[in-house]
Amino acid sequence: MRLSNKHKKYFSKGPKNLFILILVLLGMLALLTKLTDYTRQIKTINYSTFIHEVEQDRVREVTVSGQDVQGIFKNGSCFETVIPYIPRHWDILKEHNVNIRVENTANQFNIWYFLLFGLLIAALAIIWFLLRQARGASGGGSNIFTLGKSRAKMFLPSTIKENFDSVAGAVEAKEELKDVIDFLRNPAKYRRLGAKITRGVMLIGEPGNGKTLLARAVAGEANCPFFSVSGSDFIEVFVGVGAARVRDLFAQARKFAPSIIFIDELDAVGRQRGNGFGGGNDEREQTLNQLLSEMDGFQTQGGSVMVLGATNRPDVLDKALLRPGRFDRRVVVPYPDLSSREQILHVHAKGVSLDPEIDLAMIARGTPGFSGADLANLINEAAIIASKKNQNAVCLKDLEEARDKIIFGKEIKSMVQTKEDLRVTAYHESGHALLTLLQPEDSDPLHKVTIIPRGRALGVTHSFPEREKYTTTKQEMLAKIVTLLGGRVAEELAFNKLTTGAYSDFIQATEIARNMVCTYGMSDLGPIIYNQRHGDFAYSPKMAERIDQEVQKIITECYDKAKTFLKQNSDNLDLLAQELLEKETLYATEIYVLLDIEAREDYRFVQ
Ligand code: ADP
Ligand code: ZN
């Protein structure tokens, strides 16, 4: 595996926003009050003093509003006073050349009224905001009394146009989901023999790769109603509302069983419990607990309710969600590889008049790292560009223009690898793959190799054990370390420079080596536990030094071995990396043919 070193930040939305809004409003109020305090640093003087000051020629101007007078001394400081209803002062003021301004008392502008008014508005805004939050932006027509009602959108089978033909590529995902469709169509078939039907499937993949599309297609294929909701719709300011909504959603779905519930952004509700701050996030935990108990108990007589969840953060999900009887199936929906991209382009080009010269396979080649949504967008953007120019058909130049536009947008969001990056990733993964093949006795069979990014991994080499393993030999552990280090070695051999991409391989390799020395007694230090986790077996600092030396010895020897292997097979390394760059994903069978190796007999994953 090769890792990118881009980290994403996730900001949680919802109640925190409200909190911030209130803070800002309070801040503004405080500021206003402060300002008025400041301007109110005015000296209050009595009438006699006022007249005296005027007579001393110390007053520059006054503003008279009824009996209230505000004025400025010639030295710049301000004062205020109240004058009686006697006309005498007018003459005195005139005599001493004071500027007089008279205000109509009815139009008097009082900063305090203004503040009070502001406070009222702020309070109203907060109440309005709370209500809106509770209702949600899309809750059209609902009010505070329907808070606990689910906000899921329901689609009847007649309105669902998607089926498996609408989803291009995604072969593995479709294969997995075929079972689900059969469960929904023929529940009796499975129940007859007492089989427990799957209740939940987790669709895992980056946005835009067709998770929603697949879920709708399942509903279309099974011809059953589809309830669509986003995990964030459950999260509310008021404790208990989310749980009530979950209850309502499942009650609805059960009424229409067999049916499908699709929960997008499952991680919004499904995050690990018990790590909230300030006393935990009660609302979310209640909602999650409700979801778990609904999933445990919703087997109905008529037909089943299938829950499809979508997420791109399976790592943050609460473990309880993944237990049997809940989301016990996981379907990975990856970025499309070359041939999938071509098929997706074909699907979306159907209703668009394209220049017959255009070769969509070539377009697919030029769009690595594009998601299904990006490809749909590509065709659409190109059509818009062509329409603007009043062309009769979309031509290659329009597609190229649209592509550049999308790439520019994507680069900001990251994960589009440059050509050079892709080359390094291809060599890295080829290194892993080749070393697996070169140590057949001690490695698990290779499944596939890909340079299609997933999560933070830029590429992955999969191999699976042929059977459940209960023990591992020293040879197998060493072979694993050699294979893990092969990524870096391949990069080094091909490009003679070091990148950060091998970081997670090193973690794994170091962990294995350390366990060999400290836990499994597989080094010269003998069958002794030197493991901090087994706190009873303390060891001396001198021993710690020897442990480090042993670990280092294992890693160095494995690194050298990987280097020797790959140097001897540099032709195959180049061949494999080139093919991987071309096709992006290679299954083991294709690699056997390419490198002219005899396929392993026990190879189970025929593609
Ligand atoms: P996600 O739910 O994974 O974010 P969506 O299912 O919403 O992705 O996909 C967005 C759009 O991208 C779809 O409506 C469709 O137009 C297009 N798309 C994605 N994957 C595919 C695919 N495999 N085949 C055809 N179109 C796809
Ligand atoms: Zn790696």
Side-chain angles (χ1 to χ4, degrees):
M1 174 157 76
R2 187 159 182 257
L3 274 195
S4 86
N5 49 14
K6 289 202 172 106
H7 296 259
K8 292 184 191 163
K9 286 217 176 83
Y10 289 86
F11 298 100
S12 53
K13 291 184 242 159
K16 252 193 225 151
N17 274 345
L18 175 70
F19 188 64
I20 290 169
L21 182 83
I22 292 176
L23 267 183
V24 168
L25 280 173
L26 284 178
M28 272 163 56
L29 264 176
L31 201 75
L32 257 173
T33 320
K34 196 101 200 134
L35 265 175
T36 45
D37 268 358
Y38 189 72
T39 52
R40 283 191 68 79
Q41 277 178 4
I42 296 172
K43 207 157 61 173
T44 306
I45 55 177
N46 62 35
Y47 180 61
S48 318
T49 320
F50 170 56
I51 295 297
H52 174 74
E53 292 291 322
V54 174
E55 283 169 350
Q56 296 296 314
D57 279 327
R58 282 205 283 260
V59 176
R60 187 189 304 153
E61 61 175 60
V62 293
T63 305
V64 185
S65 155
Q67 283 179 274
D68 294 327
V69 173
Q70 291 200 345
I72 303 172
F73 292 119
K74 286 194 173 144
N75 69 9
S77 65
C78 300
F79 67 90
E80 61 181 16
T81 187
V82 181
I83 50 172
Y85 281 122
I86 38 175
R88 188 176 80 91
H89 46 250
W90 296 115
D91 302 329
I92 302 174
L93 287 172
K94 256 187 270 169
E95 227 169 82
H96 292 272
N97 285 326
V98 177
N99 265 331
I100 307 175
R101 217 156 62 88
V102 180
E103 272 184 358
N104 188 338
T105 44
N107 286 344
Q108 201 179 64
F109 175 80
N110 189 318
I111 189 79
W112 291 109
Y113 290 141
F114 174 72
L115 255 183
L116 213 68
F117 185 68
L119 249 163
L120 205 77
I121 296 268
L124 281 176
I126 289 173
I127 292 171
W128 171 79
F129 190 82
L130 269 171
L131 283 180
R132 209 185 69 114
Q133 275 266 313
R135 254 192 279 151
S138 63
S142 62
N143 59 42
I144 189 127
F145 300 110
T146 61
L147 263 182
K149 292 263 182 277
S150 123
R151 292 214 313 258
K153 289 201 199 84
M154 181 186 164
F155 300 88
L156 289 171
S158 55
T159 63
I160 302 172
K161 285 182 221 74
E162 291 86 351
N163 56 24
F164 268 4
D165 290 336
S166 333
V167 190
V171 185
E172 283 160 279
K174 280 202 248 180
E175 199 56 46
E176 289 266 355
L177 289 169
K178 271 186 189 145
D179 281 353
V180 174
I181 296 167
D182 206 34
F183 290 153
L184 285 163
R185 275 195 193 143
N186 313 307
K189 178 166 118 191
Y190 295 88
R191 216 164 279 156
R192 199 174 54 92
L193 297 181
K196 287 218 171 54
I197 291 181
T198 295
R199 294 168 184 190
V201 179
M202 183 99 62
L203 301 168
I204 300 167
E206 299 294 317
N209 282 323
K211 298 185 292 297
T212 312
L213 183 65
L214 272 164
R216 287 181 67 92
V218 168
E221 292 282 338
N223 198 31
C224 67
F226 182 74
F227 293 82
S228 171
V229 71
S230 169
S232 53
D233 289 347
F234 291 119
I235 304 302
E236 288 300 344
V237 194
F238 301 123
V239 173
V241 172
R245 281 188 183 156
V246 171
R247 215 174 300 128
D248 185 58
L249 171 63
F250 278 85
Q252 289 272 335
R254 248 177 253 134
K255 243 188 266 169
F256 288 89
S259 59
I260 291 178
I261 293 177
F262 175 65
I263 308 177
D264 204 357
E265 294 180 49
L266 188 63
D267 40 298
V269 252
R271 256 163 210 266
Q272 203 109 27
R273 282 168 294 184
N275 54 3
F277 52 88
N281 193 335
D282 285 347
E283 162 60 359
R284 200 173 50 71
E285 289 194 5
Q286 270 194 25
T287 310
L288 176 57
N289 287 334
Q290 188 64 37
L291 178 66
L292 292 174
S293 77
E294 293 287 347
M295 290 194 75
D296 287 341
F298 68 58
Q299 211 76 318
T300 51
Q301 282 312 307
S304 30
V305 176
M306 190 71 67
V307 188
L308 303 182
T311 183
N312 59 349
R313 298 294 314 271
D315 50 318
V316 301
L317 290 179
D318 197 288
K319 298 284 170 290
L321 274 171
L322 307 173
R323 294 227 182 92
R326 292 164 183 169
F327 292 99
D328 46 11
R329 286 195 183 212
R330 304 165 127 234
V331 173
V332 175
V333 188
Y335 277 101
D337 60 11
L338 179 62
S339 78
S340 297
R341 287 203 300 275
E342 186 183 341
Q343 291 169 46
I344 295 173
L345 285 169
H346 273 291
V347 167
H348 290 280
K350 249 176 211 149
V352 179
S353 12
L354 285 187
D355 180 345
E357 295 282 280
I358 288 174
D359 175 13
L360 288 180
M362 202 187 80
I363 305 293
R365 207 170 284 280
T367 46
F370 274 45
S371 67
D374 292 327
L375 294 167
N377 192 13
L378 172 76
I379 299 277
N380 194 49
E381 281 288 336
I384 290 173
I385 293 168
S387 310
K388 268 192 197 151
K389 292 191 274 188
N390 290 322
Q391 288 165 200
N392 289 329
V394 177
C395 58
L396 194 59
K397 256 188 75 199
D398 308 324
L399 279 164
E400 270 165 8
E401 196 179 327
R403 185 192 65 174
D404 293 345
K405 207 163 145 187
I406 293 170
I407 287 182
F408 185 68
K410 270 181 83 74
E411 260 163 12
I412 299 165
K413 285 186 260 151
S414 89
M415 263 344 203
V416 173
Q417 298 183 65
T418 62
K419 278 234 164 62
E420 189 53 33
D421 261 340
L422 277 172
R423 268 167 55 79
V424 179
T425 306
Y427 269 91
H428 178 107
E429 298 305 330
S430 298
H432 288 316
L434 211 52
L435 286 171
T436 308
L437 295 173
L438 287 167
Q439 309 174 91
E441 304 291 312
D442 300 313
S443 307
D444 294 328
L446 192 64
H447 172 40
K448 73 171 182 190
V449 188
T450 179
I451 54 170
I452 301 281
R454 168 144 151 246
R456 282 188 55 222
L458 300 174
V460 190
T461 302
H462 296 272
S463 38
F464 290 125
E466 307 147 61
R467 58 196 143 76
E468 202 74 48
K469 274 200 187 141
Y470 300 103
T471 56
T472 311
T473 65
K474 182 177 174 183
Q475 274 62 39
E476 285 167 345
M477 291 176 111
L478 288 172
K480 180 84 191 170
I481 298 176
V482 171
T483 304
L484 282 166
L485 297 175
R488 160 59 71 83
V489 172
E491 289 183 37
E492 198 187 332
L493 289 180
F495 303 99
N496 195 25
K497 67 181 177 195
L498 306 181
T499 73
T500 57
Y503 157 72
S504 80
D505 296 335
F506 296 162
I507 295 180
Q508 278 191 61
T510 311
E511 199 168 287
I512 297 173
R514 263 205 111 70
N515 277 333
M516 287 175 69
V517 177
C518 301
T519 312
Y520 300 124
M522 291 179 183
S523 76
D524 292 346
L525 299 189
I528 301 168
I529 302 276
Y530 304 102
N531 200 327
Q532 292 290 8
R533 246 175 285 160
H534 305 271
D536 300 344
F537 305 113
Y539 49 84
S540 63
K542 216 177 96 205
M543 208 36 156
E545 225 170 84
R546 287 187 61 193
I547 292 170
D548 291 339
Q549 282 166 5
E550 283 297 318
V551 172
Q552 199 174 22
K553 201 168 90 190
I554 293 177
I555 298 281
T556 321
E557 280 172 8
C558 288
Y559 197 88
D560 291 343
K561 194 164 174 188
K563 210 166 194 169
T564 316
F565 268 142
L566 290 185
K567 267 189 184 155
Q568 283 167 356
N569 289 275
S570 62
D571 291 350
N572 278 343
L573 183 65
D574 290 335
L575 194 61
L576 193 53
Q578 286 311 325
E579 186 76 0
L580 201 51
L581 267 176
E582 183 96 346
K583 296 249 181 72
E584 295 171 13
T585 300
L586 290 175
Y587 285 92
T589 38
E590 297 172 278
I591 297 177
Y592 290 138
V593 173
L594 178 77
L595 303 184
D596 197 18
I597 308 175
E598 200 172 322
R600 279 175 79 156
E601 276 173 27
D602 48 35
Y603 184 68
R604 294 183 313 164
F605 298 90
V606 182
Q607 185 62 34

